[in-house]
Amino acid sequence: MSSSLRFDRGHTDDLMAFLMASPSPYHAVATAAARLEEAGFRQVEETAAWDSAPGGKYVLRGGAIVAWYVPEGAAAHTPFRIVGAHTDSPNLRVKPLPDTGAHGWRQVAVEIYGGTLLNTWLDRDLGLAGRISLRDGTHRLVNVDRPLLRVPQLAVHLDRSVNPDGLKLDRQTHMQPVWGLGDVEEGELIRFVAEEAGADAEDVTGWDLMVHPVEPPAYLGRDRELLAGPRMDNLLSVHAATAALAAVAGQPDAELPYIPVMAAFDHEENGSQSDTGAEGPLLGTVLERSVFARGGAYEDRARAFAGTVCLSSDTGHAVHPNYAERHDPTHHPVVNGGPILKVNVNMRYATDGSGRAVFAEACRKADVPWQTFVSNNSMPCGTTIGPITAARHGIQTVDIGVAILSMHSARELCGADDPYLLANALSAFLAG
């Protein structure tokens, strides 16, 4: 692999900035797009005709982005090398009628999004971010990145059973954050959000807003070998894929036998069934249009897809020192041990032996160590966009990622070296 594709701890510093700039999927794709623009990529509109010009291009749709780089002289049947990821994380999302409260407290009505570890949102300083939809059909990002809300926990004096018996939270009644005092006023939250976004509240016709912790990411440990932060599942992979694609696009075109692609989808945490999710048509449509824009026909599309490989990059579980019995006894991924290959014979992950070989070769070229993750047979296995991508598009897919602790917490934990080890592996894969 070219030395120009190497990343060091500076990559992890940059990941921390990426996490802070991306409190929602909409911010994440905007941040990724801005970085690709700096690398020479240009946005193409889905409603416009696409040309055959080489170079870097990307499509934005809601909280999803698909970006690709066409080398000079690429044939219509040139296969793709894809890194897939997702932009969403479990959190608390604002309801259509957000203004609520009781007993002199003003609160915000929220709905639980994804498989959230509810207790991690308690007694934490929270901001509010997302997008508002305006009457003229446009959207505007909003990010109130300061302490605004809090989900207060019940004092131990009022629940003496909490320590011996464990915390029990009702998703409907116990997770509504407070944000002030006084009587509830209908429309108050959206008026506040509109002002923060520099818009007229009367022009706001819709919103997609969510709560986020405002505490910044931080190195942790005696030797700063750990990284704690929000939304690493799965913005860690989105950041690595963005950096890898930009780096590969800087190589001489003659060295690229494939068309490198990054696809970051929304809604993975609740099943991927949306127009911006992995089960939707977005990726397939973009790939097909790229083939056809270069003068290809259906036969070229079929040839390109047959030679395509996708690495589905998502976080996985490092062995937990306090719960080692929950892990497979012979597969113990550790943090800072390099990216993990995720395997499940029941196709909760899409990896097979052939895909393992592709990933192993990319890590060899990048001089990156790697590990294998398998779930304990006695426990259900999670899943990713990998099997969905493989089944929907008929392309070989391999599930990989970075091992972390506290997955789906408001604040997760990974090894500080693993993000740039992943980025190097992704660069080698995309470069072929």
Side-chain angles (χ1 to χ4, degrees):
M1 186 176 68
S2 167
S3 60
S4 65
L5 302 181
R6 296 301 299 180
F7 299 96
D8 56 19
R9 186 60 73 84
H11 174 89
T12 306
D13 293 337
D14 190 62
L15 168 61
M16 296 165 73
F18 188 91
L19 293 173
M20 285 298 292
S22 307
S24 77
Y26 314 108
H27 289 83
V29 298
T31 305
R35 290 165 178 242
L36 291 172
E37 290 270 359
E38 292 179 0
F41 285 67
R42 61 183 176 90
Q43 183 177 1
V44 294
E45 299 291 342
E46 292 187 83
T47 55
W50 292 4
D51 59 44
S52 61
K57 308 172 186 181
Y58 67 90
V59 165
L60 290 180
R61 182 191 291 183
I65 181 172
V66 180
W68 66 104
Y69 181 81
V70 180
E72 185 78 41
H77 61 268
T78 301
F80 300 93
R81 279 287 176 100
I82 305 168
V83 175
H86 67 88
T87 61
D88 60 319
S89 301
N91 58 15
L92 313 178
R93 303 210 170 185
V94 175
K95 289 183 176 180
L97 299 176
D99 300 295
T100 187
H103 306 290
W105 294 96
R106 291 184 302 186
Q107 294 175 273
V108 176
V110 297
E111 189 173 3
I112 310 301
Y113 178 84
T116 310
L117 278 173
L118 297 178
N119 64 292
T120 67
W121 291 87
L122 302 178
D123 298 333
R124 191 180 291 273
D125 293 341
L126 303 171
L128 191 66
R131 69 177 183 178
I132 55 176
S133 302
L134 303 180
R135 196 176 306 279
D136 62 3
T138 63
H139 303 285
R140 190 169 298 184
L141 296 181
V142 59
N143 182 13
V144 185
D145 195 30
R146 63 181 185 271
L148 178 70
L149 307 106
R150 181 182 179 94
V151 183
Q153 188 171 186
L154 185 64
V156 67
H157 313 77
L158 304 178
D159 183 7
R160 298 288 184 178
S161 67
V162 65
N163 286 324
D165 298 336
L167 178 66
K168 296 179 176 61
L169 293 171
D170 184 276
R171 294 162 64 91
Q172 177 62 35
T173 60
H174 296 156
M175 297 304 298
Q176 310 306 309
V178 299
W179 77 303
L181 300 173
D183 296 331
V184 177
E185 297 181 25
E186 184 178 352
E188 182 181 25
L189 181 71
I190 299 308
R191 285 194 295 272
F192 168 79
V193 169
E195 182 178 354
E196 289 286 323
D200 190 328
E202 294 182 355
D203 290 333
V204 178
T205 55
W207 51 88
D208 301 282
L209 300 170
M210 59 206 70
V211 172
H212 68 276
V214 298
E215 182 182 4
Y219 288 108
L220 185 146
R222 185 192 65 181
D223 299 318
R224 292 164 51 91
E225 69 269 45
L226 300 172
L227 176 67
R231 301 178 295 280
M232 287 195 283
D233 177 13
N234 186 34
L235 293 188
L236 188 157
S237 294
V238 175
H239 175 259
T242 302
L245 180 61
V248 170
Q251 286 189 261
D253 284 3
E255 296 180 9
L256 295 177
Y258 303 98
I259 294 175
V261 180
M262 176 191 73
F265 302 100
D266 201 353
H267 302 131
E268 189 273 347
E269 297 293 356
N270 61 11
S272 296
Q273 292 182 324
S274 71
D275 68 318
T276 54
E279 198 163 335
L282 180 59
L283 176 60
T285 299
V286 169
L287 298 183
E288 289 178 348
R289 291 186 68 177
S290 176
V291 170
F292 299 152
R294 283 175 280 123
Y298 182 82
E299 182 71 9
D300 298 293
R301 180 262 190 212
R303 293 174 65 188
F305 277 44
T308 292
V309 183
C310 174
L311 291 188
S312 166
S313 182
D314 202 346
T315 55
H317 302 293
V319 62
H320 197 300
N322 298 337
Y323 302 91
E325 73 281 359
R326 303 296 182 98
H327 300 267
D328 183 85
T330 59
H331 296 79
H332 277 184
V334 297
V335 299
N336 287 335
I340 56 174
L341 179 74
K342 301 159 81 169
V343 179
N344 180 268
V345 295
N346 295 301
M347 285 293 105
R348 299 292 286 173
Y349 302 130
T351 306
D352 62 10
S354 176
R356 173 192 170 104
V358 173
F359 177 65
E361 178 61 12
C363 290
R364 185 194 68 79
K365 288 182 177 180
D367 193 24
V368 165
W370 60 280
Q371 312 172 79
T372 304
F373 172 83
V374 179
S375 287
N376 187 307
N377 281 320
S378 299
M379 304 191 69
C381 179
T383 190
T384 68
I385 65 168
I388 295 171
T389 303
R392 178 165 184 83
H393 306 294
I395 58 180
Q396 183 180 23
T397 304
V398 189
D399 273 295
I400 67 161
V402 162
I404 70 171
L405 293 182
S406 305
M407 187 184 294
H408 287 195
S409 169
R411 193 167 178 85
E412 297 161 322
L413 184 70
C414 75
D417 293 338
D418 282 330
Y420 71 84
L421 293 175
L422 173 65
N424 278 288
L426 296 184
S427 295
F429 167 74
L430 289 176

